[in-house]
Amino acid sequence: MPFSEAKEHAPGHLHHIFADPYSAFDNLNVERQLHLRVALQTLVCEPMTDGTLTLRVIHGWENGGFEPADLAHSDHRLATLEDLEQVRGSYQQAMESAAPLPRDDASLLAAPLADAIAAAEAKGQALDEETRTIPARWPTFDQGLTLYTFFKVYHRLTYGEDDSYRSIRCQTPQGPHEIHEFHLEEGEFAVIRPVEDATGNSVLVLHDSQLEPVLMLLEACRT
């Protein structure tokens, strides 16, 4: 199995800033707000200022559903918090008018999964229906562990998670990346960024229900 594709609880950028990132954002930590401000500054504000930050809003999974084809998203370039406010407004307007939410044509999971399955079968690997449809079975073929890792991130961002912070290292088609995942009282989101020695874009990922909380969180950290 290609377990080298991804590793959860792997050291990342915040391990160079905090002695223990996993306790830095705990509600019992007296310096929690300072730690959160520092983390958001380096993970979100710096790439936003540099013009290398994309906002990815996910939606489509409801009532416990998690079919890859049902997961939708829209990507938006963020240069300022005003850009984030515009995205929040567009989603709010769509929901208030019962209109379809913004949705990009690209598929986050379904199309990459189909491609990975086709590639495995082209190499002679036989995949049964359970392997094709049960996410926990995806790591048995190349790129499956990467897809399963992102599946879990999107699932936790949609349905919640008890751990306040999680650091993941993952191989992607764009090269190795870190995933910094936050589940806080103030908001839930993840930041996908290149590893330390690489350059490239960062992606702020959140569920559409978290647009307003995360905007308020970033505004509070900016002041």
Side-chain angles (χ1 to χ4, degrees):
M1 296 183 184
F3 288 118
S4 60
E5 287 180 6
K7 182 179 181 181
E8 296 208 15
H9 307 296
H13 183 66
L14 294 189
H15 285 76
H16 298 299
I17 300 175
F18 305 113
D20 181 12
Y22 280 87
S23 64
F25 313 104
D26 189 279
N27 287 333
L28 299 178
N29 193 315
V30 296
E31 296 188 312
R32 176 179 178 276
Q33 290 298 324
L34 174 61
H35 295 163
L36 183 54
R37 184 188 296 265
V38 171
L40 288 172
Q41 178 64 34
T42 187
L43 294 178
V44 178
C45 296
E46 288 181 7
M48 183 165 59
T49 300
D50 294 340
T52 59
L53 181 67
T54 296
L55 170 68
R56 175 166 296 158
V57 185
I58 61 172
H59 56 88
W61 283 348
E62 298 177 348
N63 303 318
F66 54 82
E67 288 295 326
D70 293 336
L71 181 64
H73 78 288
S74 64
D75 282 359
H76 312 265
R77 205 66 160 164
L78 290 188
T80 65
L81 290 184
E82 286 69 28
D83 294 336
L84 178 53
E85 167 60 31
Q86 289 183 4
V87 176
R88 187 204 64 81
S90 67
Y91 268 81
Q92 181 178 5
Q93 184 177 13
M95 286 184 279
E96 290 177 348
S97 61
L101 297 179
R103 178 170 184 161
D104 290 2
D105 292 334
S107 168
L108 292 177
L109 289 176
L113 175 62
D115 290 343
I117 289 174
E121 292 181 329
K123 294 178 181 178
Q125 186 174 357
L127 304 178
D128 58 24
E129 187 63 19
E130 288 187 344
T131 302
R132 294 166 173 270
T133 58
I134 299 176
R137 300 285 186 90
W138 296 347
T140 58
F141 52 85
D142 286 345
Q143 289 302 307
L145 181 56
T146 293
L147 290 167
Y148 180 47
T149 299
F150 277 97
F151 167 86
K152 290 188 290 183
V153 172
Y154 297 139
H155 192 276
R156 289 190 293 258
L157 291 176
T158 299
Y159 294 113
E161 164 70 11
D162 291 334
D163 292 341
S164 59
Y165 173 73
R166 187 183 301 255
S167 176
I168 305 167
R169 187 181 178 101
C170 188
Q171 293 289 339
T172 75
Q174 294 75 39
H177 278 68
E178 300 174 355
I179 306 173
H180 300 269
E181 189 179 334
F182 295 84
H183 299 273
L184 311 171
E185 292 180 353
E186 297 89 344
E188 300 187 73
F189 60 95
V191 177
I192 306 168
R193 56 161 285 159
V195 295
E196 284 297 298
D197 57 350
T199 60
N201 294 328
S202 296
V203 182
L204 171 63
V205 188
L206 48 81
H207 187 261
D208 66 273
S209 64
Q210 296 298 302
L211 278 165
E212 184 168 354
V214 171
L215 175 60
M216 294 175 62
L217 177 61
L218 290 171
E219 288 176 337
C221 289
R222 184 175 62 173
T223 58

